Amino acid sequence: MKKGMERIVLFTGGIETQEFFSKRIGEFFQKEGYEVFFFDFLRERESFLSLMWFCEKGNTVLITFNFQGIAGEECFQTENDGNFWDDREVFCINLVVDHPFYYHDYLLKIPKRYHQISIDRFHKKYLERFYPNVKSSSFLVLAGTELEVRENEVEDREKGIIFTGNYTIPQTFDKYFTCNGEEYGEFYRGMVEELIARPERTMEEVMEEYICEEIGQLGDDILRVCMKNMIFIDLYVRFYFRGEVVKALVDSGLQVHILGKGWELLKCEHPENLLREGQVDSAACLRGISKAKISLNVMPWFKDGAHDRIFNSMLNKAMCLSDDSIYLREEMKEGEMIFYSLKEIERVPEIVRRYLKDENARREVVDKGYQKAKREHTWECRGREILRIIKEEGKRV
């Protein structure tokens, strides 16, 4: 058994993707000889009774995603506005896979022994500037999962292009633009237009610029409240580009296999090329990728980070085609994945046709990408980084 904190708590029964990640991390710690307990939110009462026996004071680590379990859930609250984790001196590691402005209220009420992991370096900078109460944080991107049995080799795959992810019509968020009047609507639309014209800019950079031009210089406490009330801009732009990239492909005559909900609402000239397979779980997404030649990624506005779709694609030997980020340009050597520009979406079909036609070129990218991801971007790799955080930061916070 390991010296130091030896017990790990993870969650199941919540958001499916987060449960999938938790199980992969749990597998790593079990192999390392740690005791791992999965708290099941679908069996909350029974799980809590077991958790009370499992948690040893000062010897337990909670690993969670997006504040699950530390967001004020009733079962973890104690008297005098306390919480179970503080009472048991649990070291809480929280992997936040969205921008921090989605979690403003939670960030003001973090556990005493707390470490936040950001999957984008700009997110980490935002956290450090606007939430100085978070004393311990780091940067670590998500990982990919390789299927144990690959059903298709690279040359013999039944799907050409695949995209795994949901879609929402950007106009769904229009109601938030004008809820305080048309003057606000013009203000918000200006930010959207700027981000679409200059997609290399971060969300917070544009928001702060427009807020300060409109109102004047503001303190960070006020700015962070303003920005957390504008998350609909992030969602609008995210789904705008997701739709535009897929639309460019299908309207050029290329078929795209889609695993995710909402795509029947995409307005395009050739919906017959949109091969919708519905919403599926993480394992089914991996199986779909393992049958595809090219796996498309559209970043959810991570300008200095990465999405797990990239590493899932590499590990299941589909060529990854994605818009870039500062981190990805630094991390990936030439030919380990293929980049396109959000400023030149019209070129995406040309890139896809080239690699669908040139099997040797595609195979070279796939092989390089697989070796890269296998070395550096598995959940075992991430588990070792989290273990380092536990050993180094767990004693300090």
Side-chain angles (χ1 to χ4, degrees), residues 8-69:
I8 309 293
V9 177
L10 293 148
F11 291 125
T12 63
I15 295 174
E16 188 274 329
T17 52
Q18 294 177 18
E19 176 177 319
F20 185 84
F21 298 154
S22 294
K23 288 180 177 179
R24 303 292 80 76
I25 292 173
E27 289 168 358
F28 166 78
F29 278 99
Q30 286 170 334
K31 289 178 182 177
E32 291 293 306
Y34 287 78
E35 295 182 64
V36 177
F37 176 76
F38 288 96
F39 184 102
D40 186 356
F41 275 99
L42 300 179
R43 300 173 63 251
E44 188 176 286
R45 185 175 180 277
E46 298 94 319
S47 285
F48 188 75
L49 292 173
S50 299
L51 179 68
M52 292 178 68
W53 287 102
F54 180 82
C55 275
E56 290 183 357
K57 196 168 187 178
N59 190 37
T60 306
V61 179
L62 169 67
I63 303 174
T64 187
F65 291 85
N66 286 357
F67 292 88
Q68 187 178 38

Side-chain angles (χ1 to χ4, degrees), residues 246-366:
V246 171
K247 183 165 64 175
L249 288 167
V250 297
D251 284 347
S252 76
L254 290 162
Q255 293 185 327
V256 180
H257 294 262
I258 297 285
L259 300 183
K261 65 180 180 180
W263 288 95
E264 69 279 2
L265 301 175
L266 178 69
K267 294 180 180 178
C268 55
E269 295 177 7
H270 293 282
E272 70 277 8
N273 290 328
L274 202 59
L275 307 181
R276 295 181 286 109
E277 300 180 27
Q279 187 175 20
V280 297
D281 62 15
S282 297
C285 285
L286 294 175
R287 289 194 294 271
I289 291 171
S290 75
K291 298 176 182 178
K293 296 175 181 177
I294 296 175
S295 178
L296 174 68
N297 179 57
V298 186
M299 208 80 75
W301 224 255
F302 300 161
K303 298 303 171 185
D304 198 1
H307 194 278
D308 57 289
R309 262 191 301 266
I310 291 169
F311 308 121
N312 284 334
S313 302
M314 291 176 166
L315 286 168
N316 291 286
K317 295 197 171 181
M319 191 193 84
C320 182
L321 175 63
S322 176
D323 55 321
D324 67 358
S325 74
I326 297 171
Y327 167 80
L328 286 172
R329 288 290 186 182
E330 292 174 356
E331 178 68 10
M332 298 298 171
K333 295 179 182 177
E334 185 175 355
E336 291 174 338
M337 62 182 292
I338 302 300
F339 293 112
Y340 65 86
S341 171
L342 292 178
K343 290 183 175 180
E344 297 179 316
I345 292 175
E346 70 279 359
R347 291 196 61 235
V348 176
E350 170 192 335
I351 297 170
V352 169
R353 283 193 168 89
R354 175 195 165 193
Y355 283 98
L356 286 178
K357 182 178 180 180
D358 192 338
E359 187 177 292
N360 290 331
R362 190 177 74 252
R363 178 69 189 238
E364 184 176 351
V365 175
V366 166

Side-chain angles (χ1 to χ4, degrees), residues 11 39 41 44-45 47-49 51-52 67-85 87 106:
F11 291 125
F39 184 102
F41 275 99
E44 188 176 286
R45 185 175 180 277
S47 285
F48 188 75
L49 292 173
L51 179 68
M52 292 178 68
F67 292 88
Q68 187 178 38
I70 54 174
E73 291 90 344
E74 186 176 352
C75 66
F76 299 121
Q77 297 308 294
T78 58
E79 295 179 358
N80 301 319
D81 201 29
N83 66 78
F84 176 83
W85 313 111
D87 287 355
Y106 300 151

Side-chain angles (χ1 to χ4, degrees), residues 40-226:
D40 186 356
F41 275 99
L42 300 179
R43 300 173 63 251
E44 188 176 286
R45 185 175 180 277
E46 298 94 319
S47 285
F48 188 75
L49 292 173
S50 299
L51 179 68
M52 292 178 68
W53 287 102
F54 180 82
C55 275
E56 290 183 357
K57 196 168 187 178
N59 190 37
T60 306
V61 179
L62 169 67
I63 303 174
T64 187
F65 291 85
N66 286 357
F67 292 88
Q68 187 178 38
I70 54 174
E73 291 90 344
E74 186 176 352
C75 66
F76 299 121
Q77 297 308 294
T78 58
E79 295 179 358
N80 301 319
D81 201 29
N83 66 78
F84 176 83
W85 313 111
D86 288 347
D87 287 355
R88 294 298 181 96
E89 298 178 5
V90 174
F91 179 37
C92 300
I93 297 177
N94 181 24
L95 290 88
V96 179
V97 302
D98 296 302
H99 196 289
F101 56 40
Y102 283 90
Y103 303 101
H104 170 78
D105 295 337
Y106 300 151
L107 279 164
L108 300 178
K109 297 181 179 180
I110 57 174
K112 291 178 181 177
R113 304 184 69 201
Y114 179 80
H115 182 91
Q116 183 158 320
I117 295 176
S118 300
I119 64 171
D120 184 294
R121 287 183 290 215
F122 284 123
H123 294 181
K124 184 176 184 293
K125 290 177 183 177
Y126 183 96
L127 179 75
E128 291 168 346
R129 173 183 170 185
F130 290 101
Y131 298 92
N133 60 305
V134 180
K135 304 296 184 183
S136 179
S137 69
S138 58
F139 162 72
L140 186 66
V141 296
L142 295 176
T145 302
E146 180 181 3
L147 291 181
E148 291 184 7
V149 179
R150 225 173 354 260
E151 299 178 23
N152 300 80
E153 288 302 324
V154 178
E155 300 86 352
D156 182 28
R157 296 196 165 201
E158 61 190 65
K159 302 177 190 290
I161 319 158
I162 195 168
F163 179 79
T164 57
N166 299 328
Y167 177 71
T168 300
I169 300 175
Q171 287 71 28
T172 301
F173 306 103
D174 282 352
K175 59 187 176 183
Y176 301 107
F177 283 59
T178 56
C179 61
N180 293 314
E182 185 53 40
E183 186 176 346
Y184 277 90
E186 293 179 8
F187 173 66
Y188 295 138
R189 278 190 283 270
M191 279 186 264
V192 167
E193 290 169 2
E194 172 66 12
L195 287 161
I196 290 173
R198 299 179 63 190
E200 71 278 5
R201 301 191 71 184
T202 67
M203 199 63 56
E204 59 268 27
E205 177 188 14
V206 171
M207 287 180 175
E208 181 174 0
E209 177 183 295
Y210 272 68
I211 291 168
C212 292
E213 284 182 358
E214 184 71 18
I215 303 175
Q217 292 299 316
L218 300 173
D220 285 354
D221 284 353
I222 299 174
L223 264 178
R224 69 183 183 184
V225 173
C226 291

